[in-house]
Amino acid sequence: MTSPAIPRTRRRALTGTLAAFGLSSVMITTVGAPPASAASWPTPSSSKPVSSTISVSGVRDGGMVRYYGSGDLAGDGQEEGQDPIFKLAAGATLKNVIIGAPGADGIHCEGNCTLQNVWWEDVGEDAATFRGGSTYTVTGGGAKKAADKVFQHNGPGTVNISNFAVSEFKTLYRSCGDCSTQYTRKVNLSNIEVTGTGSTARLVGINVNRNDVATLRGITILNDSSRKVVPCQKYNNTTAVGTGPDSTNCRYATSDITYK
C-alpha cells in the first residue's frame, strides 16, 4: 500500500474550551511542544510514515511529529494481533507525539510507562495497550475515532489517565475480560473531557468479578443531553452486569460528572 505524504486528518474539530475542561495553561504546556490543551488539538510539525514498529527505551520526545502506519503497519481496522507504531520497554516515556491514520495498534507498553502529550487522530485497533507492569501513566493528549477501545489494560496494576480529551469513541478504558491470565486491575480518571456523539459509549469497563476498581474525578461530558455516555460499565469478564457508582468498584459521585 502506498501511503500519502499527509494522511487523512480529522474532519470535525473537537468542541470544548479550556474553561469547560477546567485546566490552566500551566497544566497543559509541555516542554518542547507548542502550547496545547486537552480540548485543542495540536498542529503536527511534520508527518512521517512508519513501516516497522519503533522501539522506545528511556525518554523519546517526538517533537509533535505525526507518525502514521505504512506497509505492514497500514492497518486501521479492528483485527486482533496488529503490531503497534511504538513499542515501549519497561520504564519508557513517550511524549509530544501525534499518531495519525493508519494507526495500526497504536502503542504497546511492555511494562511501566508514561505517555505524555500523545494524540491519536484516528485510533486503529487500540490507541495503547498496557501489559507487564504495575503503573501506567497517561497525562495530557487526546484520542478520537476509536471504533472500539482507546486504552486496553491486559497486564496487572493501575492505569492513571489525566488531562485527556476523547471523542468519537466506544470505550475509553477496558480491563481485559478474556485474557489468558487475569488480574485485579485499577484505573484512575482525572480531568477528562468527553464529547458525546449521540450513541452509547463507555468511559471505563471493569471486571467486578475480578475486584477491579475505577475512580472517576473531574469528568466533563459535552454534547450528551440524552446521557448516552456511561461513566462506568461493570462486567463479569465479558458479560455486562450493570452500571453506576458504588463504594466498591465504580467509585465516583454524581458531582464528579459535569454535563455541558
Side-chain angles (χ1 to χ4, degrees), residues 1 4 10 29 31 54 59 63 69-70 77 141 146 160-161 164 182 189 203 227 244-245:
M1 173 179 177
R10 184 178 180 169
T29 300
V31 175
I54 299 171
V59 178
S70 66
N160 299 303
I161 306 168
F164 194 81
Q182 285 288 49
L189 268 59
L203 293 187
R227 304 296 194 265

Side-chain angles (χ1 to χ4, degrees), residues 7 27-28 41 44 63 77 88 104 139 180 216 221:
M27 293 174 66
I28 60 174
W41 287 73
L88 275 58
T139 178
S180 57
L216 282 61
I221 303 180

Side-chain angles (χ1 to χ4, degrees), residues 77-147:
Q78 296 303 307
E79 299 83 3
E80 294 293 334
Q82 294 183 54
D83 289 329
I85 303 290
F86 291 96
K87 183 176 182 179
L88 275 58
T93 295
L94 180 66
K95 63 182 181 178
N96 303 328
V97 163
I98 300 171
I99 296 181
D105 200 26
I107 297 169
H108 287 183
C109 284
E110 298 304 301
N112 292 353
C113 69
T114 297
L115 305 180
Q116 180 180 347
N117 198 39
V118 177
W119 303 81
W120 292 262
E121 293 180 326
D122 192 333
V123 174
E125 183 183 350
D126 298 315
T129 301
F130 306 108
R131 57 184 129 198
S134 59
T135 305
Y136 321 87
T137 300
V138 179
T139 178
K144 56 190 175 184
K145 297 184 180 178

Side-chain angles (χ1 to χ4, degrees), residues 37-242:
S37 75
S40 178
W41 287 73
T43 300
S45 58
S46 63
S47 293
K48 181 177 180 179
V50 179
S51 59
S52 60
T53 298
I54 299 171
S55 296
V56 177
S57 59
V59 178
R60 181 180 179 120
D61 188 328
M64 301 313 294
V65 171
R66 174 197 283 130
Y67 295 85
Y68 63 95
S70 66
D72 291 342
L73 294 181
D76 60 1
Q78 296 303 307
E79 299 83 3
E80 294 293 334
Q82 294 183 54
D83 289 329
I85 303 290
F86 291 96
K87 183 176 182 179
L88 275 58
T93 295
L94 180 66
K95 63 182 181 178
N96 303 328
V97 163
I98 300 171
I99 296 181
D105 200 26
I107 297 169
H108 287 183
C109 284
E110 298 304 301
N112 292 353
C113 69
T114 297
L115 305 180
Q116 180 180 347
N117 198 39
V118 177
W119 303 81
W120 292 262
E121 293 180 326
D122 192 333
V123 174
E125 183 183 350
D126 298 315
T129 301
F130 306 108
R131 57 184 129 198
S134 59
T135 305
Y136 321 87
T137 300
V138 179
T139 178
K144 56 190 175 184
K145 297 184 180 178
D148 192 6
K149 302 174 297 295
V150 177
F151 297 120
Q152 175 71 31
H153 191 179
N154 291 348
T158 301
V159 174
N160 299 303
I161 306 168
S162 63
N163 301 343
F164 194 81
V166 62
S167 64
E168 302 174 66
F169 70 106
K170 189 172 181 180
T171 301
L172 174 57
Y173 164 94
R174 180 65 165 104
S175 173
C176 184
D178 58 1
C179 287
S180 57
T181 301
Q182 285 288 49
Y183 306 93
T184 295
R185 305 182 180 96
K186 296 181 179 181
V187 59
N188 298 310
L189 268 59
S190 176
N191 289 350
I192 307 297
E193 185 188 83
V194 181
T195 301
T197 60
S199 59
T200 301
R202 293 162 290 275
L203 293 187
V204 300
I206 59 172
N207 303 315
V208 295
N209 60 312
R210 303 286 179 180
N211 299 315
D212 288 353
V213 177
T215 303
L216 282 61
R217 299 287 185 268
I219 309 299
T220 299
I221 303 180
L222 310 175
N223 190 31
D224 188 33
S225 59
S226 57
R227 304 296 194 265
K228 292 286 189 178
V229 176
V230 177
C232 189
Q233 175 68 59
K234 304 171 188 179
Y235 293 92
N236 284 339
N237 292 337
T238 58
T239 302
V241 293

